[in-house]
Every structure is written in C-alpha cells, then in structure tokens.
Amino acid sequence: MDFEIRVGLGHDTHRLQRGGPLRLGGINIDFDGHLDGHSDADVLLHAITDAILGAANQGDIGELFPDTDAVNAGKDSAEMLSVANERIRGAGWQIMNLDCVVLAERPKLLPHRASICQRIAEILSINPDQVSLKGKTGERSGDIGQGKVMQSICTCLLRRNK
Ligand SMILES: [Zn+2]
C-alpha cells in the first residue's frame, strides 16, 4: 500500500443544566437545557476533536486546551476542532469519515441531524456525507436516562500518503 490509515476514538461527557439554548455539534438548538463546562461544553465537537487527534496520535483536547487556562473559558469548540484539524492536516492526514453517537434522553437529535453534519463538515472542510451522526437515549436509566448528563462517542478514520 502506498498509503497508511489510522482509526481514532473520542469520548466526552458534560452535565446538563436548566436553561437553553443547547450548544451541540457547533449549532444552537432550541431546548430548555444547556451543557455545563469550562468551554462552551459542546460534547459532540469535543469527542470529534479527540477522535481525530487520537487517530493521528497527536495528544488530546485537554493537552491542547487546558481547562486550567482562563483563555479557554467559554471557548468556541469549533475553534478548538479547527486547530486540531490543522494540526493533523499539517502531519499529512486527511479525514476519510467520522461516525458519531450522541447519548441523551432529550432532545430528539433527528430534526437537527442534517444541520449538525453540515456544520461539522464545514468546520473540518470535508463533505457532509463523510459525517455520520446517531442519537441514542439512556432508556430512562442512569445519568443519561435521567437527563443529568449528555455523552458523545466518535470514531474517525484518517488516511495519509506514504
Ligand atoms: Zn468536553
């Protein structure tokens, strides 16, 4: 083979608090809760950032943007994902696809899926059809099912010419 491929995995959790809108996948969703965290707490973009950094073996989001650094407070996660994308592209990697899951009891993801995939593709300069997104509930059990937290998991495939 004249190219190499690498797979990456990202995972993230944030607490859900009262009051919207919900920032998810780089867009604002009309909802009665929002995610809590040091940055804008976009659980999906954080999982994607870690997946692409992991595939390229370039560390993780916490190393790039420490939550102890005041400069990262309230930071737009799209900006963090762009920086990670530039870093892996700089090492010669190109994203083949992302497969993402958002675990949340509410809101329903389906009505927002196309806009989220579009936004993620835009941030990464890839085609929306390279981004897959699925929503899963917690079946009313555990912290996800009781609406206390939202989680996201993402896998990513990278390719680089030798
Ligand atoms: Zn996070």
Side-chain angles (χ1 to χ4, degrees):
M1 281 198 303
D2 55 352
F3 62 91
E4 52 184 329
I5 55 171
R6 293 276 183 94
V7 67
L9 173 67
H11 178 264
D12 198 34
T13 305
H14 282 276
R15 276 174 319 204
L16 203 53
Q17 313 245 292
R18 280 173 212 274
L22 174 68
R23 182 75 171 176
L24 185 70
I27 67 168
N28 282 336
I29 292 173
D30 190 21
F31 183 56
D32 60 6
H34 69 277
L35 294 170
D36 182 47
H38 189 67
S39 66
D40 69 4
D42 192 321
V43 72
L44 175 55
L45 294 194
H46 292 179
I48 295 172
T49 304
D50 264 354
I52 67 170
L53 288 172
N57 203 354
Q58 297 263 351
D60 64 41
I61 191 171
E63 264 180 280
L64 248 60
F65 304 98
D67 64 6
T68 47
D69 192 338
V71 90
N72 296 323
K75 201 175 192 90
D76 180 355
S77 298
E79 199 185 309
M80 298 196 262
L81 181 54
S82 295
V83 169
N85 192 38
E86 277 163 31
R87 182 177 268 232
I88 63 140
R89 281 179 187 248
W93 293 106
Q94 93 184 86
I95 297 172
M96 302 307 291
N97 77 304
L98 302 173
D99 190 13
C100 313
V101 181
V102 169
L103 299 109
E105 203 64 16
R106 288 189 317 124
K108 284 263 174 266
L109 201 65
L110 196 56
H112 311 287
R113 192 163 71 181
S115 356
I116 292 175
C117 290
Q118 179 73 45
R119 177 67 185 133
I120 291 167
E122 185 183 286
I123 297 165
L124 294 170
S125 304
I126 58 176
N127 198 298
D129 107 325
Q130 291 172 280
V131 184
S132 150
L133 178 61
K134 291 160 295 200
K136 301 291 283 183
T137 70
E139 292 287 329
R140 295 190 295 279
S141 98
D143 285 347
I144 292 167
Q146 286 160 26
K148 291 181 186 165
V149 302
M150 285 178 67
Q151 293 190 333
S152 183
I153 303 166
C154 174
T155 60
C156 143
L157 193 71
L158 299 183
R159 175 194 160 127
R160 171 164 81 175
N161 289 331
K162 277 189 175 159

